[in-house]
């Protein structure tokens, strides 16, 4: 039963009977009653005045009287100006609770083979360094968004594009060749992605030294400082060698390709370990090395058709000035491709592989310009879906000491962060006695669930479009708007339900007619009834924060109820049974909502 639908139908019937007119779309406006007025749901009467031709208060009184007489769901009403405040009968609330409890997957819309197919791309790592905090937010947003859209009735393909080629990859390869001495993940004891990341940092260290030395030389020859640095950055031996390696790679050089495959395999093994720890995955992974040639071919075809132009140095460009942008490089003068070329090729392959209805790129807002250009270029190349691509643009993750810079080796590594979150959760749980009754094995498991829940919730509770300042210590708090607070409340409910089952008490099923409800119970049922609409809103707005904050408000209300009223020790059997059904329903919705965010719920704490 949907209370809003019942009341909307009753209001429409009242208007028809009283004024002989049918309501039109938008006339029936229902909203939650303000907390300083009596009532549960308020009907805004002003849109009905054109049909009643009476004063707001008179119209509200007439409609309220008719609705109360003809709708069993209404207990009483009051009128404040043009607002009809309706108090629902207890039976309406308990009937609603029964219906929610009986639903197989409450709040989730099923999908089938005819449902819209959405593809969501996230992660998009480079194989020259491990995943960092920025990647963590990206992966968590992508995974949560995919789960939410599935809950809204979409079919979803979760995809990743691995940037496994390019100058940045060659930097790590060249550094390993020069200074690696055959080091491997096995010989070093390092994860493969960490090992390759170390060589990327090492390349940059030596490259900066060369640039500094060349800059001094050019300045001594009379060149201005800025021009000297620009020239040094282009002519430093290391960067020239890296570019030469990239050319060899694109020409299919056997030795370069063999080294590339070996080092990438090390990285993939490391990535997979991190993905498992984050609890994310993919249905289909694309690799830039497989897609960039498709993109180059499309660009070359566009060049022949006059869609692009070639400069004197042989590079290929798109002129986007008529679209309010500038000129965009597509193929370098040495024939190598850029990210844009790869994304063009990847987009074409994806639409060949899947009958996609919507393509969503989960990428930081630093790439807003990139995706504006990509959409225009795909449309210019004749792909009808070019203009419909969606860039899910999210804000950056900052730390108390500023933004992360991976090339300087100051990045917050994802694996280190995960390890630290779990350790902090264990420390906090032990200190507060939350894990006191658990075995050592369960303590370790629960610390992992709580630590990861704290991390995920902290990064997802904020609107994705906003920048976020991440402080691990603030995220692991068993009070307030945090993952551990929600998890602890869930575990508390599960404990109550286990005790009830142990005492032979029935938890589900019908609630006795006439069972009274207090205000906190009504508020909980009302909040539970809003879950499907919250899921739909989160899907429509592509905002996982809606789910996160809904779960927080729900458990906050439950804790207030739990503090004020007994459940297992309630003497009235009907009330006790109703409270068990209510508690069970809260736990179901919290678990469903948090699982959409990729957050596990502990059964005990």
């Amino acid at each position: 039963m949907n209370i809003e639908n019942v009341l909307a139908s009753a209001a429409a019937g009242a208007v028809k009977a009283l004024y002989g007119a049918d309501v039109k779309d938008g006339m029936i406006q229902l909203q939650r009653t303000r907390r300083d007025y009596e009532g549960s749901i308020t009907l805004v009467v002003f849109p009905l005045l054109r049909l009643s031709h009476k004063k707001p208060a008179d119209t509200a009184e007439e409609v309220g009287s008719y609705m109360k007489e003809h709708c069993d769901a209404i207990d009483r009403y009051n009128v404040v100006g043009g607002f009809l405040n309706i108090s629902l009968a207890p039976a309406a609330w308990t009937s609603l609770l029964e219906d929610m409890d009986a639903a197989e997957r409450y709040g989730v819309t099923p999908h089938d083979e005819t449902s819209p197919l959405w593809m969501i791309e996230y992660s998009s790592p480079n194989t020259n360094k491990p995943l960092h905090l920025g990647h963590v937010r990206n992966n968590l947003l992508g995974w949560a968004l995919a789960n939410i859209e599935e809950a809204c009735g979409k079919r979803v393909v979760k995809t990743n594009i691995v940037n496994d080629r390019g100058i940045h990859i060659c930097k790590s390869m060249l550094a390993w060749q020069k200074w690696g001495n055959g080091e491997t993940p096995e010989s070093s004891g390092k994860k493969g992605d960490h090992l390759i990341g170390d060589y990327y940092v090492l390349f940059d260290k030596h490259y900066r030294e060369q640039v500094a030395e060349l800059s001094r030389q050019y300045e001594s020859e009379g060149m201005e400082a800025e021009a000297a640095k620009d020239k040094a950055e282009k002519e430093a031996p290391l960067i020239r060698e890296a570019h030469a390696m990239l050319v060899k790679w694109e020409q299919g050089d056997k030795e370069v390709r063999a080294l590339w495959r070996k080092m990438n395999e090390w990285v993939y093994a490391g990535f997979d370990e991190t993905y498992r720890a984050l609890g994310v995955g993919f249905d289909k992974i694309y690799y830039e090395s497989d897609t960039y040639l498709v993109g180059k071919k499309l660009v070359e075809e566009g060049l022949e058709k006059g869609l692009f132009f070639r400069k004197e140095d042989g590079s290929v460009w798109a002129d986007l000035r008529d679209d309010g942008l500038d000129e965009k490089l597509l193929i370098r003068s040495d024939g190598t491709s850029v990210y844009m070329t790869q994304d063009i090729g990847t987009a074409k392959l994806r639409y060949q592989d899947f009958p996609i209805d919507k393509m969503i790129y989960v990428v930081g807002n630093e790439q807003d310009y990139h995706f504006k250009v990509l959409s225009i270029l795909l449309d210019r190349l004749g792909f009808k879906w070019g203009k419909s691509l969606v860039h899910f643009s999210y804000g950056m993750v900052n730390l108390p000491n500023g933004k992360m810079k991976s090339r300087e080796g100051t990045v917050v590594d994802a694996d280190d962060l995960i390890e630290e979150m779990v350790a902090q959760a264990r420390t906090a749980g032990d200190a507060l006695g939350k894990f006191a009754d658990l075995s050592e094995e369960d303590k370790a498991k629960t610390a992992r669930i709580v630590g990861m829940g704290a991390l995920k919730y902290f990064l997802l509770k904020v609107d994705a479009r906003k920048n976020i300042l991440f402080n691990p210590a603030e995220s692991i708090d068993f009070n307030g708007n945090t993952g551990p607070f929600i998890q602890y409340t869930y575990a508390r409910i599960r404990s109550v339900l286990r005790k009830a089952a142990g005492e032979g008490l029935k938890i589900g099923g019908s609630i006795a007619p006439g069972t009274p409800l207090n205000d906190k119970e009504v508020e909980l049922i009302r909040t539970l009834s809003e879950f499907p609409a919250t899921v739909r809103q989160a899907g429509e707005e592509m905002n996982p924060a809606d789910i996160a904050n809904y779960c927080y408000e729900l458990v906050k209300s439950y804790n207030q109820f739990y503090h004020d009223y007994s459940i297992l020790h309630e003497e009235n059997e009907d009330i006790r049974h109703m409270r068990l059904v209510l508690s069970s329903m809260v736990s179901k919705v919290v678990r469903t909502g948090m699982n959409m965010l990729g957050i596990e719920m502990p059964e005990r704490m």
Side-chain angles (χ1 to χ4, degrees), residues 6 11 44 53 70 98 128 152-153 195 257 447-448 454 568:
V6 170
V44 182
H53 303 293
H70 293 86
E98 288 175 346
N128 64 315
C152 291
L195 178 65
R257 286 288 181 123
R448 179 189 61 79
L568 295 179

Side-chain angles (χ1 to χ4, degrees), residues 43-186:
L43 173 68
V44 182
V45 175
F46 297 106
L48 305 178
L49 301 184
R50 70 186 72 174
L51 303 180
S52 69
H53 303 293
K54 296 184 177 183
K55 295 179 180 179
D58 293 339
T59 302
E61 181 62 41
E62 290 179 349
V63 171
S65 178
Y66 187 94
M67 289 177 67
K68 183 180 184 306
E69 182 179 353
H70 293 86
C71 181
D72 293 338
I74 298 175
D75 180 51
R76 60 191 182 278
Y77 69 90
N78 67 85
V79 174
V80 179
F83 298 92
L84 174 62
N85 301 320
I86 299 169
S87 296
L88 297 179
W93 289 117
T94 56
S95 177
L96 177 58
L97 178 58
E98 288 175 346
D99 290 346
M100 291 187 294
D101 183 57
E104 185 175 352
R105 295 189 68 199
Y106 178 67
V108 174
T109 302
H111 60 267
D112 56 34
E113 64 277 3
T114 66
S115 301
L117 178 64
W118 286 21
M119 178 176 280
I120 300 179
E121 175 201 290
Y122 54 95
S123 197
S124 308
N126 296 327
T127 57
N128 64 315
K129 53 191 174 183
L131 304 179
H132 56 60
L133 176 55
H135 288 114
V136 171
R137 191 181 195 193
N138 180 292
N139 279 276
L140 297 183
L141 283 171
W143 182 259
L145 182 60
N147 291 337
I148 291 168
E149 298 304 342
E150 281 190 330
C152 291
K154 317 288 194 316
R155 291 179 296 152
V156 176
V157 176
K158 297 183 284 289
T159 188
N160 185 3
I161 175 67
V162 178
N163 298 305
D164 63 342
R165 57 162 295 281
I167 189 64
H168 51 291
I169 311 299
C170 292
K171 290 177 181 179
S172 295
M173 292 167 59
L174 185 62
W176 186 86
Q177 273 187 334
K178 288 180 173 294
W179 304 295
N181 296 315
E183 186 178 25
T184 68
E186 291 75 22

Side-chain angles (χ1 to χ4, degrees), residues 514-530:
T515 301
L517 299 172
N518 59 54
D519 290 344
K520 286 186 169 58
E521 289 160 348
V522 168
E523 179 64 22
L524 277 172
I525 297 172
R526 184 217 299 268
T527 304
L528 288 169
S529 74
E530 295 170 351

Side-chain angles (χ1 to χ4, degrees), residues 31 74 161 175 229 246 283 329 340 402 432 445 462 493 508 540 560:
Q31 59 190 35
I74 298 175
I161 175 67
K229 184 180 178 183
L246 177 60
D283 300 311
L329 174 67
M340 187 63 66
L432 296 172
K445 178 181 178 181
V462 178
I493 298 173
E540 291 169 1
Q560 294 169 353

Side-chain angles (χ1 to χ4, degrees), residues 22 36 76 108 159 184 223 227 288 352 380 393 433 497 501 521:
D22 294 320
D36 48 342
R76 60 191 182 278
V108 174
T159 188
T184 68
M223 191 176 292
E288 183 182 348
Q352 286 180 349
R380 184 177 294 187
S393 175
L497 297 178
E521 289 160 348

